[in-house]
Amino acid sequence: MSDRIFAAVWLVLCGIGLFIAWGIHSEYSYEPLGPRPFPIIIISLMAFCSFLLLFKKTDPVYWPTPRVLRRLVLLIVSLVIYAWLFEWLGFPLATILLTISVALLFNATLLSAVISGIFLGISLFFAFDRLLDVTLPIGHWLS
């Protein structure tokens, strides 16, 4: 039953998302199709999957243990903090901190979490900023 409740709620959210995506317009044309098709395609795929989930054969549901639920909540909190501090801290530092927190949630050692966080934060910044020409914030505290 929880699968069907989730699918129904997600189907409603997809409908709202499609309504919002349909209203996306660009003031200047930088692509032949504009910015509208990508969100519409992604949201349509999510709606199709939720429609399939709504009518699939039910399986027994096994809820996660309290330890796993606590980690999931901490992961969601980490992502919210990442989004909230993204512009102020900048992409590299915010990504370093997020990577460290996620690695620690998945039982990595502190040293490997810090090394992977620094590597991902810096390498992804240069990959997006220099190679792909995607402008990412460096952080207000550095300005």
Side-chain angles (χ1 to χ4, degrees):
M1 190 63 183
S2 62
D3 288 347
R4 289 196 170 110
I5 293 171
F6 171 77
V9 169
W10 196 254
L11 199 57
V12 169
L13 291 174
C14 286
I16 294 169
L18 283 172
F19 178 76
I20 292 170
W22 191 258
I24 295 175
H25 294 285
S26 179
E27 295 174 7
Y28 57 92
S29 179
Y30 56 91
E31 290 180 356
L33 297 175
R36 187 188 302 173
F38 182 73
I40 289 177
I41 290 170
I42 295 297
I43 295 171
S44 298
L45 285 173
M46 288 191 299
F48 176 70
C49 290
S50 66
F51 185 76
L52 291 177
L53 187 63
L54 191 63
F55 293 108
K56 79 172 187 96
K57 181 180 162 268
T58 58
D59 296 325
V61 176
Y62 301 103
W63 290 95
T65 63
R67 182 174 181 227
V68 173
L69 284 175
R70 185 174 59 249
R71 285 184 176 187
L72 288 173
V73 168
L74 288 173
L75 181 63
I76 291 170
V77 168
S78 297
L79 290 171
V80 168
I81 291 171
Y82 176 75
W84 185 53
L85 294 176
F86 184 77
E87 284 188 40
W88 188 77
L89 288 179
F91 179 83
L93 184 57
T95 303
I96 288 170
L97 294 174
L98 177 71
T99 304
I100 291 171
S101 67
V102 170
L104 291 174
L105 282 174
F106 283 93
N107 294 327
T109 63
L110 183 60
L111 180 63
S112 62
V114 169
I115 290 171
S116 63
I118 291 171
F119 176 75
L120 275 176
I122 293 172
S123 64
L124 285 176
F125 178 75
F126 281 109
F128 279 105
D129 194 56
R130 303 286 188 247
L131 300 176
L132 299 174
D133 287 330
V134 175
T135 305
L136 294 172
I138 192 71
H140 290 298
W141 63 281
L142 288 175
S143 308

